[in-house]
Amino acid sequence: MTALFATEQKVLFFLIRSEETQGQVPVSKMAEVCLMTQSERWQMQYEQVMAFIATNHRRPSKYYAEERLLWNWLRRNIKLMSKGDLPIERKEKFKALMALDEKYRRVNQFK
């Protein structure tokens, strides 16, 4: 699995710009198509999730279609980190993201 991250292949990725939907709009409204490396795409998703958590004070939800992509990215990286397959430079950034997430975690009000 680490060999997958070691290669910096260019992948076709649809870059979407939309402030009101956190960067996720229907395919018919896509702004431009560009080539990105896997690291660039990971960094872009990281920044989107970080901005979402900082703005909304919660994790993305799997129940809302406009948040689903962010939720899938977050869930996948949590699994990679717990298996130990997340590269070191990504692991450090992801730990910072999880610290921000922990800051807004729900608290049991009945304790």
Side-chain angles (χ1 to χ4, degrees):
M1 195 72 168
T2 55
L4 177 80
F5 295 111
T7 61
E8 285 297 322
Q9 301 173 356
K10 295 274 184 179
V11 292
L12 187 62
F13 176 69
F14 295 97
L15 182 62
I16 305 165
R17 292 193 177 107
S18 173
E19 291 78 25
E20 67 274 3
T21 58
Q22 301 290 328
Q24 300 166 20
V25 293
V27 176
S28 61
K29 296 183 180 180
M30 289 193 178
E32 65 183 72
V33 177
C34 67
L35 289 174
M36 301 179 86
T37 62
Q38 293 170 350
S39 294
E40 291 170 343
R41 176 144 190 232
W42 190 91
Q43 181 65 32
M44 188 181 77
Q45 288 290 106
Y46 169 80
E47 290 168 1
Q48 285 181 349
V49 172
M50 192 71 124
F52 181 89
I53 292 174
T55 305
N56 298 308
H57 305 292
R58 63 179 177 85
R59 279 186 180 185
S61 173
K62 69 179 179 179
Y63 299 107
Y64 297 108
E66 58 273 1
E67 299 173 13
R68 185 90 180 187
L69 291 175
L70 298 177
W71 179 79
N72 282 332
W73 182 88
L74 187 64
R75 182 183 61 164
R76 177 70 180 144
N77 280 285
I78 289 171
K79 285 182 180 182
L80 286 174
M81 194 166 98
S82 43
K83 285 189 344 186
D85 289 343
L86 201 61
I88 295 168
E89 63 276 356
R90 291 184 187 179
K91 189 180 289 188
E92 294 168 1
K93 288 183 177 183
F94 197 71
K95 284 183 180 179
L97 177 75
M98 296 312 295
L100 180 66
D101 178 50
E102 192 63 34
K103 178 182 173 184
Y104 298 118
R105 195 147 183 98
R106 292 185 187 167
V107 177
N108 186 353
Q109 60 185 340
F110 297 110
K111 281 189 175 182

